[in-house]
Amino acid sequence: MQTIRIERTTAPKEKPGQDNPLVFGTIFTDHMFVMDYDEENGWHDPRVIPYQPLVLEPSCMVFHYGQEMFEGLKAYKADDGRILLFRPDKNIERANRSNRRLCIPEIPEDIFLEALKTVVKVDADWIPTRPGTALYIRPFVIATDPFLGVRPSHTYKFIIILSPVGAYYESGLDPVKIWIEDEYVRAVKGGIGEAKTGGNYVASLASQVKAHDEGYAQVLWLDGVHRKYIEEVGAMNIFFKINGTVVTPALNGSILPGVTRDSAIQLCKMWGIPVEERQISVDEVIKTAESGEMEECFGTGTAAVVSPVGELRFENEKMPISNNHIGELTQRIYDTITGIQLGRIEGPEGWSVEVK
Ligand SMILES: *Cc1c(COP(=O)(O)O)cnc(C)c1O
């Protein structure tokens, strides 16, 4: 494996104080990881350098055709001072699945993991320790050929930046209100919905703006063909607990396969709670929400870990869930996953990876 060169900053920035709310994605650390790709050398020159602007030609392909992949995971400081990553192998595997779909060359898994560990270690002092905080890690690849034709780029940059982030909800796990979208769609099978790429997000903006204007925090997408089956929330997968059974949409080719989704499913199965990954229609959601059979509804994703849903809105109908309180299972999943992330609870084999 190529060794990662480290060039430390000579002008370290002031770190945010303990009472800084660390608004998600606004503060960046002193360093970043960069690695280049070209056809002759493959992925080469892995390095950690001071965090700095990129200099790119305006003709770079990423600006015009969106050939881009990103990932998101977190590093945590355990009570005993260890630095822990949560299931980074899942993010690396997914990054390369996205890369294949987007015609971006795959990144060797060993270099990817070493890059994550190295840059986090260099900026370890930036990992916040207040409850609910973490160091968010954003790996991404951009196409850099200066070319305005449509084809896969021949050159790329793989970059990792780091951002100390606060508790997603300062006031604990507040239930969110969710807008079920019936006009726009996010993705269809055969498209890029299961890849983690910027294009899926730009497709979602018009709907998000509309939902925000109506007072809703997030959008819940229906499938793009029938406009009938539940897919996922903006940047979270969705779960329902109906009559004691946990139901989540099956990965059907247009849903992003979340690491938190997989973790929640595995935990429920370990606890003996029945889990169904299947199609679930918006009609079933409305019917069970109104009858009270829907006991809980929550989203899962790296940023919030688990986010309880307190209200669903479809067309003109508003459906309160769990009396706008966090459900018992939602809380248990949150406590367990965050406990494992902080090294307080022993998780399944491989879920915690120490950065040494
Ligand atoms: C990243 C993402 C998720 C959540 O995935 P995690 O791995 O759990 O963070 C869900 N949906 C979309 C569209 C995403 O981009």
Side-chain angles (χ1 to χ4, degrees):
M1 193 174 67
Q2 308 169 60
T3 50
I4 300 173
R5 176 163 66 80
I6 300 176
E7 179 195 332
R8 282 174 198 274
T9 182
T10 52
K13 293 182 271 199
E14 195 177 330
K15 295 183 182 63
Q18 277 296 330
D19 48 2
N20 189 308
L22 301 177
V23 175
F24 191 89
T26 54
I27 300 170
F28 300 96
T29 65
D30 281 325
H31 297 88
M32 62 203 246
F33 173 86
V34 184
M35 178 163 72
D36 301 304
Y37 179 91
D38 61 40
E39 290 186 330
E40 192 184 333
N41 301 298
W43 286 110
H44 65 279
D45 197 13
R47 58 207 185 266
V48 170
I49 58 173
Y51 182 91
Q52 59 192 271
L54 300 173
V55 178
L56 294 169
E57 302 236 7
S59 55
C60 265
M61 294 182 78
V62 65
F63 297 135
H64 306 277
Y65 309 117
Q67 198 190 7
E68 182 265 359
M69 177 285 297
F70 73 91
E71 267 301 325
L73 67 162
K74 285 174 174 172
Y76 305 83
K77 187 84 68 83
D79 299 333
D80 57 13
R82 284 180 307 151
I83 299 165
L84 301 175
L85 302 176
F86 183 70
R87 309 188 73 186
D89 53 310
K90 298 289 286 182
N91 294 89
I92 293 171
E93 194 186 298
R94 184 173 66 192
N96 278 331
R97 243 183 294 135
S98 299
N99 282 341
R100 285 194 290 275
R101 178 64 182 85
L102 301 165
C103 299
I104 294 171
E106 289 182 44
I107 299 162
E109 295 187 0
D110 54 352
I111 300 182
F112 200 140
L113 184 61
E114 201 52 35
L116 292 171
K117 290 180 170 177
T118 305
V119 69
V120 166
K121 205 162 40 178
V122 169
D123 276 338
D125 288 347
W126 283 84
I127 307 175
T129 52
R130 238 180 332 127
T133 63
L135 187 67
Y136 184 77
I137 306 172
R138 168 53 58 88
F140 62 105
V141 175
I142 53 172
T144 53
D145 277 10
F147 178 57
L148 293 185
V150 177
R151 56 149 172 81
S153 182
H154 302 315
T155 59
Y156 298 87
K157 275 188 189 298
F158 173 41
I159 300 171
I160 305 173
I161 55 176
L162 307 172
S163 174
V165 294
Y168 210 69
Y169 302 106
E170 281 294 327
S171 49
L173 283 169
D174 278 344
V176 292
K177 289 164 65 179
I178 288 198
W179 174 276
I180 304 179
E181 177 59 59
D182 62 349
E183 180 187 358
Y184 301 106
V185 297
R186 172 186 174 272
V188 290
K189 187 166 189 262
I192 54 172
E194 55 178 10
K196 214 165 168 74
T197 183
N200 289 320
Y201 282 80
V202 77
S204 76
L205 292 180
S207 171
Q208 187 187 310
V209 168
K210 185 174 69 172
H212 277 187
D213 287 348
E214 298 279 346
Y216 290 79
Q218 300 261 355
V219 173
L220 177 59
W221 298 102
L222 299 180
D223 78 278
V225 177
H226 311 281
R227 312 250 185 140
K228 181 175 166 190
Y229 299 104
I230 303 290
E231 296 242 311
E232 62 174 308
V233 189
M236 292 192 293
N237 296 107
I238 188 88
F239 286 75
F240 306 94
K241 182 162 166 264
I242 303 172
N243 281 328
T245 295
V246 171
V247 181
T248 191
L251 299 177
N252 59 359
S254 54
I255 295 175
L256 197 289
V259 177
T260 324
R261 174 188 182 277
D262 180 78
S263 307
I265 291 171
Q266 284 198 45
L267 289 174
C268 288
K269 287 184 175 166
M270 276 166 48
W271 296 333
I273 300 167
V275 181
E276 294 176 359
E277 294 178 66
R278 62 167 169 87
Q279 271 190 335
I280 175 164
S281 67
V282 67
D283 293 339
E284 181 179 349
V285 167
I286 294 169
K287 191 173 102 330
T288 56
E290 287 182 340
S291 68
E293 290 163 286
M294 185 183 296
E295 297 148 353
E296 300 184 32
C297 173
F298 57 92
T300 61
T302 296
V305 183
V306 168
S307 183
V309 175
E311 182 192 311
L312 290 168
R313 158 91 175 258
F314 185 60
E315 294 168 345
N316 288 321
E317 221 161 332
K318 295 180 181 177
M319 294 158 280
I321 314 286
S322 325
N323 293 318
N324 204 29
H325 283 91
I326 179 163
E328 200 182 312
L329 178 67
T330 310
Q331 183 77 53
R332 184 177 181 194
I333 293 171
Y334 178 82
D335 291 343
T336 307
I337 292 181
T338 54
I340 294 168
Q341 288 169 335
L342 289 167
R344 291 174 185 160
I345 298 174
E346 181 89 25
E349 178 85 37
W351 280 24
S352 271
V353 172
E354 188 179 350
V355 174
K356 287 192 240 198

